Amino acid sequence: MSEIINNREQLMTKNTDRLTILKGIFQDLHNGRNLDEVKAHFDALIGKITVDEITQLQHEFSEDGSIPKDELQRIYQEHSVIFQGSIEREKNLEKPEGAPGHPVHTFKLENREIEKLLQQQVQVHVDEFAKDDSSENIFHLLQDINLLLDIDKHYSRKENLLFPYLEKYGIFGPTTNMWRIDDFIRDAIKEAKQKLASYQGERQEVLGVLDFVIQEVSGMIYKEENILFPMALKNLSEDEWIKIAHESDEIGFCLSGPEEEWKPERKALAENAITEGYIKMETGFLSLKQLELLLNHLPVDITFIDHEDVVRYFSHGKERIFARTKAVIGRTVQNCHPPRSVHVVEELLADFKAGKKDSEDFWIKFRDKYVYIRYFAVRDEKGNYIGTLEFTQNIDPIKAIEGEKRILS
């Protein structure tokens, strides 16, 4: 028994020593050391690295707080260069992701289609545009960019379905970083489209944006398939993968889709039936079934977060404006928003909690809708803050109303 304990202690010491060395190596990146020198140092001292070590390393850098987020972004990008070809594959693991319809199988199918689009169309048309910025070559690139905009669905499923489960297992570093890069890619694709649509001869600017898109999208595919997906497969349960597969349709797919419905060997989770117990309220009685149907038939989307900023409920109407999946339940609202907009959410909630505000309204153009977004501080009869209600409505039909329509007409 003492031999087993000693072996375990030696293994823990070895792992701690490796992590210390890894942190030192990547601290050199922050201090401005040449990337090639750091790579050589990594190869000599570490050689191979596991997904667990990558997760722990990036988590500790994120939690440390001494490195600015923008600087972390650069360091994580360079991490990927150093890790390339050095990630150690785990042996003897079952591979459920090989089954058609499994979320990871579908993610990888999409990645193959994205690669095909980049290599066989975008890069070809970029090279032609570099030689001749004719209207025909601009048109070809615009067609490619319109297809590439579909990548938003791939990233949205990753961010709204996969990331919440990883966070439940205490894995934050890689997910936060990836979401930030996803946003950079989305913005760059939109910028490329805008520059091409209003092209006035700025050839080098357009080429710079397109080269960035190709490089970053390709890099994200590598990060997903060598870091994110293995990490998720190691941590998520089959039940969680079933939920992700079930909810993926609501967001949609990119350039491809599941080959078939995924059917694990064991039976899928049975949906919990809504009991028919009644709820007594101040102004009446409703069954749970009636209450849920009533909320889902409102011509608005509502979401409720509690006093600890945790998402507790959202309505599920026929035409949602913003994508919501059941994976957000139990997740903090800060982690449901892109990193660049979290500060706005936190300021609003702070005002509600402090009693400075009781509501806040926003209105934006979103795709083909004019969206009115309202936030209300929910307080009890003593004025204590209980949570926040988000109320979202497409007001285009309301803005179009003219004259009168009486009930008898």
Side-chain angles (χ1 to χ4, degrees):
M1 177 64 72
S2 61
E3 182 181 350
I4 294 174
I5 294 172
N6 289 336
N7 288 342
R8 185 179 300 152
E9 289 177 346
Q10 289 173 9
L11 181 61
M12 290 175 66
T13 301
K14 181 180 177 182
N15 290 341
T16 302
D17 289 344
R18 276 176 62 86
L19 188 60
T20 301
I21 293 170
L22 280 166
K23 287 180 70 175
I25 288 172
F26 290 108
Q27 187 67 44
D28 288 343
L29 288 175
H30 176 54
N31 295 334
R33 188 173 178 183
N34 179 274
L35 179 60
D36 292 336
E37 292 179 4
V38 176
K39 170 70 172 166
H41 197 197
F42 172 86
D43 290 341
L45 293 178
I46 301 296
K48 292 288 185 181
I49 188 168
T50 67
V51 169
D52 283 346
E53 287 173 326
I54 293 172
T55 303
Q56 183 66 24
L57 178 68
Q58 296 192 340
H59 176 72
E60 292 206 8
F61 269 110
S62 297
E63 290 294 304
D64 180 74
S66 62
I67 301 177
K69 289 184 178 180
D70 291 345
E71 181 65 10
L72 275 177
Q73 165 73 27
R74 180 186 68 81
I75 292 174
Y76 285 161
Q77 288 291 85
E78 293 179 341
H79 281 196
S80 299
V81 175
I82 294 171
F83 295 154
Q84 198 140 359
S86 301
I87 299 174
E88 193 171 283
R89 304 294 181 190
E90 296 196 34
K91 299 176 183 178
N92 301 322
L93 288 178
E94 295 181 8
K95 295 187 176 181
E97 74 274 20
H102 187 284
V104 172
H105 186 276
T106 303
F107 274 124
K108 288 185 175 182
L109 278 182
E110 291 177 321
N111 279 342
R112 300 292 79 78
E113 291 301 315
I114 294 168
E115 286 175 334
K116 190 187 301 182
L117 175 61
L118 291 178
Q119 295 164 9
Q120 298 181 11
Q121 291 180 232
V122 179
Q123 188 62 64
V124 172
H125 293 146
V126 165
D127 293 341
E128 291 174 352
F129 173 80
K131 297 174 186 175
D132 177 14
D133 58 349
S134 66
S135 58
E136 182 180 357
N137 287 336
I138 290 173
F139 177 72
H140 288 156
L141 281 173
L142 279 169
Q143 286 183 312
D144 297 340
I145 292 298
N146 282 334
L147 288 173
L148 196 56
L149 284 168
D150 214 34
I151 207 168
D152 177 64
K153 298 172 188 172
H154 180 96
Y155 292 165
S156 291
R157 291 205 325 280
K158 180 174 66 174
E159 294 156 356
N160 293 292
L161 293 175
L162 194 52
F163 287 1
Y165 286 113
L166 287 173
E167 289 166 9
K168 288 180 182 178
Y169 292 97
I171 300 171
F172 292 92
T175 59
T176 301
N177 179 53
M178 280 191 179
W179 195 331
R180 191 173 289 114
I181 298 173
D182 289 347
D183 280 346
F184 289 151
I185 291 171
R186 289 179 174 109
D187 289 346
I189 295 172
K190 292 173 185 175
E191 183 183 357
K193 181 174 180 177
Q194 186 274 326
K195 285 183 177 296
L196 287 165
S198 59
Y199 185 69
Q200 295 293 327
E202 316 91 338
R203 189 186 311 195
Q204 292 308 314
E205 289 184 23
V206 173
L207 288 173
V209 177
L210 290 170
D211 287 343
F212 176 86
V213 169
I214 293 170
Q215 178 182 340
E216 292 300 317
V217 171
S218 300
M220 182 54 69
I221 290 174
Y222 179 85
K223 294 182 187 77
E224 287 178 355
E225 299 195 0
N226 290 275
I227 299 174
L228 180 66
F229 297 156
M231 184 191 308
L233 287 164
K234 184 170 183 178
N235 286 282
L236 270 59
S237 68
E238 188 175 78
D239 289 350
E240 289 164 336
W241 285 118
I242 290 170
K243 291 175 183 177
I244 291 172
H246 180 70
E247 295 194 5
S248 292
D249 284 340
E250 184 168 335
I251 295 175
F253 303 95
C254 168
L255 303 176
S256 181
E259 289 185 339
E260 57 186 70
E261 183 184 354
W262 179 46
K263 296 179 180 178
E265 289 185 7
R266 71 168 190 78
K267 293 182 179 179
L269 289 176
E271 295 290 333
N272 291 327
I274 297 175
T275 66
E276 286 302 321
Y278 280 79
I279 300 172
K280 181 181 183 299
M281 292 174 280
E282 188 176 345
T283 53
F285 296 85
L286 289 173
S287 73
L288 288 175
K289 184 71 172 179
Q290 288 171 333
L291 179 60
E292 183 172 51
L293 288 172
L294 182 154
L295 291 170
N296 287 342
H297 277 75
L298 292 174
V300 297
D301 295 342
I302 60 175
T303 302
F304 177 73
I305 65 170
D306 68 14
H307 65 290
E308 294 181 331
D309 303 344
V310 175
V311 179
R312 294 301 181 190
Y313 169 80
F314 65 89
S315 60
H316 203 275
K318 293 181 180 178
E319 297 182 8
R320 286 206 61 88
I321 295 171
F322 300 120
R324 287 282 192 282
T325 64
K326 293 172 187 174
V328 305
I329 302 300
R331 192 183 190 200
T332 62
V333 70
Q334 289 86 347
N335 286 328
C336 296
H337 287 78
R340 63 184 174 185
S341 64
V342 167
H343 69 284
V344 178
V345 176
E346 290 179 335
E347 288 173 9
L348 177 60
L349 293 176
D351 286 344
F352 282 179
K353 292 172 183 177
K356 294 180 180 178
K357 291 182 179 179
D358 287 320
S359 65
E360 187 72 81
D361 297 348
F362 304 91
W363 45 96
I364 60 172
K365 288 286 188 180
F366 181 72
R367 296 176 182 162
D368 59 339
K369 298 177 175 66
Y370 196 34
V371 181
Y372 190 28
I373 307 167
R374 311 191 71 189
Y375 293 92
F376 299 94
V378 179
R379 307 187 192 280
D380 64 15
E381 60 279 1
K382 295 180 180 179
N384 298 315
Y385 175 79
I386 303 301
T388 293
L389 176 68
E390 180 190 72
F391 177 102
T392 306
Q393 184 176 18
N394 175 20
I395 59 172
D396 265 332
I398 298 173
K399 285 170 71 4
I401 293 176
E402 293 180 354
E404 293 184 354
K405 179 182 180 183
R406 297 182 180 272
I407 192 167
L408 294 179
S409 63

